Amino acid sequence: MSDSSAPLPSGPDSTRVDRWLWAVRLTKTRADAAQACRGGHVRVNDRPAKPAMAVRVGDKVRVRLHGTTRVVDVSHIIVKRVGAPVAARCYVDRTPAQPSQAAPVIRRDRGAGRPTKKDRRQLDRLRTDFPPPI
């Protein structure tokens, strides 16, 4: 029997949001999940979430971790950490696709010396138009 057809572990009707984030492997540790909640990086149904806030099936959870925002719908409640294939079936990922920005490569001729004030302004303008990828 493969992981995709295995029954999901039974769980309660609700659980703490920090515990659920850790159980479905959106964060590495439960402490990381709690810290993200305390830092204002977790929202449940578009409301700021404290670590002890209850999460239920059907809730929309928005998590900002490591510079990216994940938007997931809760489809199953688990309280114990499970394998990645099973954990992925406990939520529906609604994260919007990130547009890829290819920043231009800034190169100067070898031996051209220090950039002039005009060159620095042009470089700064390029850097602000194309921020580095996260």
Side-chain angles (χ1 to χ4, degrees):
M1 192 151 93
S2 68
D3 283 339
S4 62
S5 64
L8 292 171
S10 62
D13 292 337
S14 67
T15 189
R16 295 171 55 110
V17 68
D18 63 338
R19 191 173 193 180
W20 186 81
L21 289 171
W22 166 76
V24 297
R25 296 175 173 264
L26 290 178
T27 60
K28 273 191 165 186
T29 65
R30 187 167 166 191
D32 286 346
Q35 185 176 4
C37 291
R38 283 190 298 272
H41 301 289
V42 178
R43 297 179 76 84
V44 176
N45 296 328
D46 293 325
R47 293 188 4 224
K50 291 185 178 179
M53 184 175 194
V55 67
R56 294 173 176 75
V57 173
D59 285 349
K60 178 179 162 187
V61 179
R62 180 182 302 264
V63 184
R64 181 159 180 80
L65 295 169
H66 310 295
T68 60
T69 302
R70 301 276 310 266
V71 181
V72 296
D73 292 337
V74 179
S75 62
H76 189 76
I77 299 293
I78 56 174
V79 293
K80 298 274 186 181
R81 197 161 168 104
V82 293
V86 177
R89 293 174 41 213
C90 294
Y91 61 88
V92 178
D93 198 353
R94 304 251 187 241
T95 305
Q98 297 291 329
S100 63
Q101 283 188 339
V105 178
I106 301 169
R107 295 186 190 265
R108 288 182 45 84
D109 293 332
R110 188 173 177 97
R114 293 179 57 174
T116 63
K117 193 170 189 176
K118 180 180 177 182
D119 291 339
R120 285 196 315 268
R121 287 182 180 147
Q122 288 175 341
L123 290 171
D124 289 340
R125 200 172 308 120
L126 275 175
R127 287 187 185 118
T128 57
D129 289 344
F130 296 95
I134 297 174

